[in-house]
Each structure stands twice: as structure tokens, then as C-alpha cells.
């Protein structure tokens, strides 16, 4: 069993989260899930105006929560990217910050709350709200789409900072429905890739599948105060990011799932919580779809901000 990612005063969400909130690692009550599903008949997220084309899949290296407030090369690229993407009917986010154990959850909220799951940042960051609606109907379809494991709908959780800090730049009007899928942290890399393969079916319903993490993420080995740049401040971070880039170019999915064998992996992915969302995006991409690099570079010396698009 994997150990929880270490807590950090600047990002307290790096502790393992319960499957559906902070009350424990239980699956949540079946009654709660049933009540959630029973309420769907009264919901009406109209399909009018939604995209009917097959949507792309994206992965975003989200970095520090402070990017929500920043005006930098990374956030400016997100803003441009949002205008380039076809408009989705909804966004399914797999964030490094909703980790569960023994279960996979999907958010069924009509109005998911903005979760400020961090500490030690300016009040201005805590004041941000991202009031996007949820999409319980598509969340319910996600329950049926995933064949690798049972998925349970929940009213708990919401939109954590792995989701809203980047969507704030991609879709600043918060007018596209968003729902999240949790990462079962007990499962190996191949499981997460396989769940991503299942999620691909949602792309034909106009859903933008988004993974949000960082392919290189080790908070105990960052160089705070280092200016953003194209190259890493430490060789192991650069080596691993380069290896991921090369494997993506070749669509060597096997190498990316077996990431532990890539150069620099032991330090670059000391804990896999931020790497796993990348595997969901990779899995949801068709094997013939080339990876387009949308952004690359490093923040805090060793955090890879690599962003890619498939399709």
C-alpha cells in the first residue's frame, strides 16, 4: 500500500483524502448514493448548445495554487488554450487532490463547492470562488462507463484547487459544467490508465476529459524563488521530464505506465499522486492520437508544468 503524500504547510491537500470527504475512508452510504441518483429525474442540464463532436483530452501541470492569481507565461497560455478548444458540454476533471482508498467516486453535485484545500497562502486566494455548475446526468453516465471498478456517486467533495485554479484561466466565466472523479490511491498505475480508457467513451458526448497534476512533482525538492524557465534547476527533474516528452512523442504508453523505469523517476515521482492524473488523460486518448505539447517549462525549479492535448 502506498504511503500518503507528505503534508506541506503550503499545500495541505497532500494528505490522503477520504473517498468522499473528510469523515473517513468509507465508500459512503448506499442510501446517500441512491438518493443522489433518485434526484436526477428533477435535474435538467439541457444538451442545447453542447458540443456533439468528439472532444479532445487534456493534461495540465497545475503547479502552485498561486497560479490562480498569477499573470505569467503559463496562465496566459491557459487563457489562449481555452479559446482554442472546442466548447465542451461538460468537463470531467481527474485532479491530484481528490485521492480515495478502495473506491472511485464521482461528484454528483448540482453546484459543486470551491474547495480551498491548502494553507499558508494569501487571503486573496481563499477569496476566489469558481461557481461552475455540476452535471449530475453525465456524472451518472460516468458510473456506467467505468468498467475497471465500481464508481459511486457522491454529494461530497466539489472542485479542489487542482481543478479550479486552472479552469479559472481556461474558462473564466465558469459557465461550463464541471464534475470530478477521484483517484483510488490503492491501485497501481495500470489501473488508472485503464480507467482513462473507459472514460474515452464520454468524449463522444461532448465531455472534455482533463487530468490535472504534474509529471514531475516533489515538494521536498523544489527550489523556491527560482524564476520560471524552460529548464529544470536539478538534473533528475529535467531527465524525467525529457523522458516523458520522448515517450509521448513515440506514444509509448507502456513506458509511461511503467514510469518507475524512466530516468530520474525515483525523485521526480517520489509519490505518484500528481503523476496518476496524467495516466487518466493518456488512457482516454486514442492510441493513434498524437500528443500535442501545449506548454512546457518549470516552476520552483523542479515542478514540470508540462501540458498536453490529444485530439
Amino acid at each position: 500500500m502506498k504511503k500518503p503524500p507528505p503534508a506541506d504547510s503550503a499545500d495541505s491537500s497532500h494528505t490522503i483524502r477520504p473517498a468522499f470527504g473528510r469523515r473517513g475512508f468509507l465508500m459512503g452510504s448506499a442510501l446517500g448514493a441512491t438518493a443522489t441518483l433518485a434526484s436526477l429525474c428533477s435535474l435538467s442540464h439541457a444538451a442545447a448548445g453542447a458540443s456533439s463532436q468528439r472532444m479532445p483530452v487534456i493534461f495540465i501541470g497545475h503547479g502552485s495554487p498561486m497560479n490562480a492569481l498569477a499573470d505569467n507565461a503559463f496562465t496566459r497560455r491557459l487563457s489562449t488554450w481555452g479559446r482554442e478548444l472546442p466548447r465542451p458540454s461538460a468537463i470531467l476533471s481527474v485532479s491530484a487532490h481528490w485521492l480515495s482508498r478502495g473506491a472511485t467516486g464521482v461528484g454528483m453535485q448540482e453546484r459543486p463547492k470551491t474547495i480551498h484545500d491548502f494553507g499558508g497562502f494569501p487571503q486573496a486566494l481563499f477569496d476566489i470562488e469558481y461557481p461552475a455548475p455540476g452535471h449530475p446526468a453525465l456524472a451518472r453516465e460516468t458510473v456506467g462507463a467505468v468498467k475497471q471498478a465500481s464508481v459511486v456517486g457522491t454529494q461530497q467533495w466539489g472542485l479542489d484547487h487542482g481543478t479550479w485554479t486552472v479552469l479559472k484561466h481556461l474558462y473564466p466565466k465558469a459557465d461550463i459544467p464541471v464534475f470530478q472523479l477521484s483517484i483510488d490511491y490503492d491501485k497501481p498505475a495500470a489501473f488508472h490508465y485503464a480507467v482513462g480508457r473507459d472514460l474515452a467513451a464520454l468524449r463522444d458526448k461532448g465531455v472534455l476529459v482533463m487530468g490535472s497534476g504534474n509529471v514531475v512533482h516533489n515538494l521536498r525538492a523544489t527550489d523556491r524563488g527560482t524564476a520560471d524557465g524552460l529548464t529544470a534547476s536539478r538534473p533528475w527533474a529535467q531527465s524525467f521530464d525529457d523522458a516523458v516528452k520522448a515517450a509521448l512523442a513515440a506514444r509509448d504508453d507502456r513506458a509511461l505506465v511503467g514510469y518507475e523505469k524512466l530516468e530520474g523517476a525515483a525523485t521526480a515521482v517520489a509519490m505518484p499522486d500528481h503523476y496518476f492524473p496524467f495516466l487518466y488523460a493518456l488512457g482516454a486518448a486514442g492510441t493513434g492520437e498524437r500528443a500535442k505539447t501545449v506548454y512546457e517549462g518549470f516552476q520552483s525549479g523542479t515542478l514540470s508544468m508540462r501540458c498536453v492535448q490529444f485530439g
Side-chain angles (χ1 to χ4, degrees), residues 35-107:
T36 298
L37 299 180
S39 69
L40 289 171
C41 61
S42 66
L43 299 174
S44 177
H45 285 294
S51 172
S52 60
Q53 69 182 100
R54 184 171 175 82
M55 288 298 297
V57 178
I58 65 175
F59 171 77
I60 299 178
H62 65 244
S64 167
M66 286 299 290
N67 281 312
L69 295 170
D71 177 12
N72 55 33
F74 168 67
T75 62
R76 289 191 293 272
R77 184 65 185 99
L78 291 185
S79 296
T80 303
W81 195 9
R83 295 190 293 271
E84 295 169 352
L85 289 166
R87 184 175 176 84
S89 58
I91 300 165
L92 169 57
S93 175
V94 182
S95 164
H97 298 281
W98 190 14
L99 304 178
S100 55
R101 280 200 144 140
T104 298
V106 64

Side-chain angles (χ1 to χ4, degrees), residues 4 11 31-32 42 70 100-101 106 111 130 142 164 198 217 219-220 230 239 250 266 268 288:
D11 187 353
L31 288 175
S42 66
S100 55
R101 280 200 144 140
V106 64
R111 290 285 171 182
Y130 190 78
T142 303
W164 64 262
D198 289 342
H217 184 276
L219 289 185
R220 292 181 175 174
L230 289 175
S239 295

Side-chain angles (χ1 to χ4, degrees), residues 62 64-65 67-68 78 118 160-169:
H62 65 244
S64 167
N67 281 312
L78 291 185
F118 40 69
D160 59 53
H161 81 264
T163 296
W164 64 262
T165 63
V166 295
L167 291 184
K168 179 179 179 294
H169 297 289

Side-chain angles (χ1 to χ4, degrees), residues 216-230:
V216 181
H217 184 276
N218 186 336
L219 289 185
R220 292 181 175 174
T222 56
D223 291 320
R224 305 288 173 94
T226 301
D228 297 358
L230 289 175

Side-chain angles (χ1 to χ4, degrees), residues 116-127:
H116 301 89
D117 51 331
F118 40 69
F121 289 104
Q123 184 59 42
L125 194 58
F126 292 89
D127 291 340

